[in-house]
Amino acid sequence: MIGANSIGVGRCYVTPNREVWKVVELDGQKLTYVARGKLAFPTWDEESRRHTTRETFARDVEREVPCDWHAP
């Protein structure tokens, strides 16, 4: 698990399901991100922005990865 305060705009994180989430906006504890699946590389679905909190996001991702990362 990553620290909620280490999350940054423009950074990407991988989930246990191998989705990559890119943080596009931070507003206090509120966070907005876009996602792409492991098979949709390198497409970001900007139309389906998701909203959550820093704590929930940090709990749901495994680690930070490069934004061009793809599952082996």
Side-chain angles (χ1 to χ4, degrees):
M1 184 167 124
I2 64 165
N5 291 326
S6 68
I7 297 167
V9 172
R11 294 170 144 178
C12 295
Y13 305 85
V14 65
T15 69
N17 294 333
R18 299 298 180 243
E19 279 191 331
V20 177
W21 294 356
K22 181 178 182 180
V23 178
V24 294
E25 188 176 328
L26 283 171
D27 182 12
Q29 290 302 311
K30 296 177 183 177
L31 180 148
T32 303
Y33 67 96
V34 292
R36 67 169 169 81
K38 60 185 176 183
L39 300 177
F41 176 75
T43 304
W44 297 102
D45 188 359
E46 294 286 342
E47 296 298 317
S48 61
R49 290 178 172 223
R50 302 176 188 174
H51 308 281
T52 190
T53 65
R54 281 181 183 256
E55 290 78 21
T56 300
F57 186 91
R59 183 192 67 221
D60 291 345
V61 298
E62 287 186 341
R63 67 187 186 280
E64 185 174 353
V65 295
C67 288
D68 62 354
W69 185 89
H70 57 85

